[in-house]
Amino acid sequence: MESCFIYSVQDMAKDVTYICPYIGALRGTLTVTNYRLFFKCMDREPAFVLDLPLGVVSRVEKIGGASSRGDVSYGLVCKDIRNLRFAHKQMEDSLRKSIFEILMKCAFPVSNGLTIFAFEYGQVYPENGWKVYDAQAEYKRQGLPNESWRITKVNDHYELCDTYPSTLVVPVNIPDEELKRVAAFRAKGRIPVLSWIHPESQATVIRCSQPMVGVNGKRSKDDEKYLQTIMDANAQSHKLFIFDARPSVNAAANKMKGGGYESEDAYQNAELVFLDIHNIHVMRESLRKLKEVVYPNIEESHWFSNLESTHWLEHIKLILAGALRIADKVESGKTSVVVHCSDGWDRTAQLTSLAMVMLDGHYRTIRGFQVLLEKEWLSFGHRFQLRIGHGDKNHTDADRSPVFLQFIDCVWQMTRQFPAAFEFNEYFLITILDHLYSCLFGTFMCNSEQQRVKEELPKKTVSLWAYINSQPEEFTNPLYVNYSNHVLFPVVSMRHLELWVGYYIRWNPRMRPQEPVHQRYKELLAKRAELQKRVEELQREVTNRSASSSSERAGSPTRSITPVQTFV
Amino acid sequence: MLSSLGSAGGKSAKPSFVSYVTPEEIKSEKEPSRKEKHPDLLPGEVVFCSASTVLKYTQDDLSQRGVFGVLLCTNFRVSFVSDEAPTEEMVRTLFKNKLYGENDIPLSCVDNIYGDKRKLITGGLVKNKYPSKMIIHCKDLRVFQFSLSFSKEEDAKKIFQGIVHHCLEPKSLRCLFAFSYCENTSYPGSYSYCREHLRKKQTVMFDSVEDWTQDMKRTKGNCRVVSENSNFELSPKLPQYFIVPKNVSDEDLTKYQGKGLPMWCWSHHSGCALFKTASIPLVQEDNVCCRMLTAVAHNHLYSVKTEDLSDTLPTVQDILLSYNRFKQFFLIDNTTEFWMSDMKWFSSLDNCGWLDIIRQCLQKAVEVVESLEKENTNVLIMEEGGSDLCCVVSSLVQLMLDPYYRTLLGFQSLVQKEWVAGGHAFLDRSNHLHLKDKVESQSPVFLLFLECVWQLQQQHGPAFQFSETYLTVLSDSIHVPVFTTFLFNNDGHRDSLLRAESPHTQRSPLNCPTVWDWSVQFDCKAQDLFTNPLYTEKPKQDTSVRKSYRPRHLRQLSLPSSAFKTPPKKGFFKDEADNLKKILGVKRLSRWMLSPSSDSPQTSSSVREFYEAWQTKPLDYHGLLLPCLDGPSIRVWMQRYLRWIHDVQILGGGPVAMLSKVSEILGEVQELQRQLDRHGCTLTSNHKGARPRAKTAAAVIAARSSVRLSSSFPFVTSRNWSFKPAIPTSLLQSLMVTGMAGNLADREDDGGPESLV
């Protein structure tokens, strides 16, 4: 697919040295386009190629200025857990300057008033990926609307809440007017709405933002009534669980800023549980440490202690544990749950979407997972633009955070524990993460549905799902068994969590598996298909033969069949 | 909670302890079914003592729930027989061991016994006391908790003392169950079970000249088979038969009881070979060391590298210490304790050093492989005794280089060759007999080897014919005192004891099963789980490629050999040896530094390069296999260590989910192949051996819905199936967010301007 889109070569420099941390210095040609950086070294057999979308570049920096030998070197810090270093001779001053400047310009189009490449990418795919998610259709799949839940158009023009989608599911007997009063009591107007409903028990997963309780313990009759109605909509239980994703200390600290959490006095029959998941800043710091530990080289002897010191897997564990508790309450307790953090677009998205992966097999299929991302992450306003910083040179921005990466990591952990329960494979998850940064597709642009509509993304850009759905076999797990209604409860012990080597350490050639295991399953499937075909052919031949001459003995067809090699 | 139940112990036993018992429990005590209960005894098994109304706690929760039953101690096991009738599913357990059940602990499998307040019970201390609660930690990592408070005081005392006596106190070898078992089984005739007969026949036992000759021929070695020790005249510590370089003289054979003799392990197709030896002190007056080196060097290209493993690898004591720390992570008494330790899991792993020891053994093996494969030099590995780390390293080298040893039978033959015939002191290393003077020599060296094999197998699954389950079962079998394989210190020891114990005339020694007679433990169906359905069988044409390979050791003839024939002079040995080392280019491969972190950088970088060079070549599962040794690649053997811990069982998941799907596809492929065969087509099949078994395994697994299997398959059945997930307790308490991250933790998600660093 990369071969046929149009890009313009911005600059090209010969005789550039790429300082590879594994191979050493490589000399070759560096090309920068408005989409990618391309380095090729012909000295090696096979030729060494480095091809990276500029979107993954988080920072470009000159290292140490011009050295005595006249070399200039600069480093690229990348969002995908690697750093690249280039150097080249300071022969003609103008050339050097230009490639550095071009890189600065093209890698950060937003900061330079340029357009992101996704708006120029013109590849045509058989399917329009923007049509993968249709909110109405998804709610219909869940059996909504029903006698207790209705679909409201109150946010059609994003007036109730500008970070929410236009289609919302709310209790039947709460009129739109009341929703507006509830919105006034919830941070950023993100009222409690339905994300998922259990097909049998009618227990629901509800998401929202924190209540605006403040230091004085403000209450809202409307909000209290609203949550009571949510509880009543599920006849199976007379309780409601409110999961606050934050550590209780942080939740309490939010009162100073007008936020806070539901008091159990105000919300009768509701039980509040804190899930102790840390904020975006802690997560960003953890990933920074992780990168230090895994890139470029791994220290052999203290690997596990070093890994532990990053706390990365500890955070993964807490997120999974939180989702597990939510799924358990809904599945085993038949109780509805309300999930929120502060604004309800980071930790809340992680928790609800993971719980939904556990509860609903549909979200474990290739298309179902796309729907899940479109719904829980994109439409409910996870601020991708701010968290990833597409095309923005301000790499120290405090809004950057690997929240979505953590979610994908959690899903990967689940695929490890349930190798046959997911229709997609590891490559699918890695592809999503790669294009999270690549700026090739419009999918992860902007911060909310409203912005996406305003920017006309579906019209002007291609969706990642168009690309993925054009070659689903690449992303299919050959071991997939569709246990339709099976709920997955992962084990969230450190014993079963591991670092995702295939993603975080993939640049290290030593850690690359020589033959991906799924390759072998694929071969096996191919073998089965081949044999199946042969058997059919043969049966046809045999019937024909016996029809023509019944006396002829079997055995002559042997020659016409070439031996099959079981494995390559 | 615990104390309310447990106070009926020794000191407060004066009043009738019935008064301490809750009504519920009294009811169970009054139950009429008090008749003698015992498990189905094995031939030769005798019950020593028993106690009824013993409460066996349910493992997986903190509540003091459990089942009542009879606790027995026999000459083979500690056994708990539940008062409750076994449920149907329990009877149908797929992976049933015929010798002992899930509530039986073979005496040699008992690791530690704890009393009240988790006090370690040691042999002589028990006298007249008994604890109200007894915790037994097993060597296969099961944990049993029994309450003796509801039994009659006499019974409780007796069973406790009986168990302690038979499990912890010194005993003589002939008290081990194997002897009474074998005397009472018509064993020689009884191994015609299913395919067992064939299988046994094919495991090369290395107890005859032919076996050794055959193996040397197979690898095209050019050494000398020694049969002078067939009646242990040379030394009882030497194997009955063994192979030495051609140049070793008869005179040398008889000296030093085999110390310093280079024993052939394996020949590389280039002609160079791997030898191992029990090292002799360098101060030895004689020049035997020098002559032995010459002899080894003569084997190929006049080159030899020596490697003293005692210098470079951890000692057997290090191994034991590290393993003792490691196993504690899995001997879990209760859920709270488990989740408490979860946060520090990774650093605990590092601190105990077990994975690092595994890495070092693998790395050493890779170094030896490099010398053989890349430099084509002979390698002589040595250590004191020559039968611990030498066995680990030599077997690993052979697994990496020789695909034959990656088959099930090949692997069993390898264990026979390097470990059983090779004289690994299984008895002393396991200290089955609890002899006080052998405490020092106890060490899980063989388990360490299996761990290393598991690592290789994890990294290169399709190269191994046997499965992870096979390795786990083999590691358990070490502690089942029935098999001759693990009961003795060497060939001579085995021979003399089996002869002495024979009920018949001196002519036929007692016939005991080896561990390779798998039908003693498992029926055919269960044995199907020993094979790896993804194993790639060797393509046929490969053998011809091998044959056409021309060894390159012709150069040998052109080298002056007189240099080594200088007559040795007494007192000049050291110079001689040094000189010789110079001539031969004897190199030490590497050095074991005290701190594992300061690993000799040279070697590890050379190993690294060797690995990287190998990695760039296309992978051949029937060629050289090297392990990746980087941090994340060395892992914990989950199946072995986590199988009994309820909270980490992945219900409906784990490797079995993959296995069942693969088996299913393989079954279909096989069925299609059969259809083609029926049509008279002969298609080359590379799958012959493995496929039928894979099919049955598929059938076995398919019999249960794979949704109901867990990651502990096949060791724990889904009897306790519940849809309740294990929710970790104590989450945040141990999350240490310090320093800068501490400030971060207090900040708002909104990356507003005030929160910019």
Side-chain angles (χ1 to χ4, degrees), chain B residues 462-474:
Chain B
F464 291 85
Q465 192 190 26
F466 48 88
S467 67
E468 174 185 35
T469 303
Y470 171 82
L471 289 176
T472 305
V473 166
L474 184 55

Side-chain angles (χ1 to χ4, degrees), chain B residues 212-213 215-217 219-226 242-248 262-268 271-275 295-300 378:
Chain B
W212 284 97
T213 316
D215 201 55
M216 190 170 65
K217 271 190 189 155
T219 60
K220 303 191 177 57
N222 187 24
C223 294
R224 166 186 170 189
V225 182
V226 178
F242 52 95
I243 298 179
V244 293
K246 277 226 159 116
N247 286 31
V248 171
M263 317 280 262
W264 175 88
C265 299
W266 186 78
S267 284
H268 185 256
C272 63
L274 173 65
F275 298 88
V296 171
H298 262 275
N299 182 58
H300 178 66
N378 297 298

Side-chain angles (χ1 to χ4, degrees), chain B residues 338-373:
Chain B
F338 173 81
W339 287 109
M340 284 297 282
S341 65
D342 203 47
M343 280 298 181
K344 288 277 149 229
W345 162 246
F346 286 120
S347 49
S348 318
L349 263 188
D350 257 357
N351 293 339
C352 78
W354 180 245
L355 293 183
D356 212 47
I357 290 177
I358 294 170
R359 174 179 297 119
Q360 284 159 22
C361 290
L362 284 166
Q363 173 163 339
K364 187 57 62 188
V366 174
E367 286 167 23
V368 174
V369 166
E370 187 183 2
S371 304
L372 293 166
E373 175 82 15

Side-chain angles (χ1 to χ4, degrees), chain A residues 250 257 279-281 305 308 311 314 317 417 479 489 493-496 509-510 521 528 538 567, chain B residues 342 347 350 608 615 630 635 638 648 654 658 668 679 687 707 723 735-736 744-745 747-749:
Chain A
N250 298 42
K257 294 164 194 153
N279 66 27
I280 60 165
H281 312 291
S305 309
E308 189 177 273
H311 299 292
E314 223 164 280
K317 171 180 162 168
Q417 297 194 14
L479 293 173
F489 287 137
S493 158
M494 283 300 186
R495 270 80 162 177
H496 277 307
R510 295 168 54 75
Y521 305 133
R528 179 178 63 176
L538 232 102
F567 290 113
Chain B
D342 203 47
S347 49
D350 257 357
R608 184 162 292 184
Q615 202 194 16
D630 290 55
R635 306 149 75 107
M638 296 294 186
V648 288
M658 204 184 307
E668 284 173 32
H679 288 298
H687 255 100
V707 175
F723 275 101
L735 183 68
M736 307 291 184
L744 291 175
R747 280 166 52 181
E748 261 303 280
D749 267 2

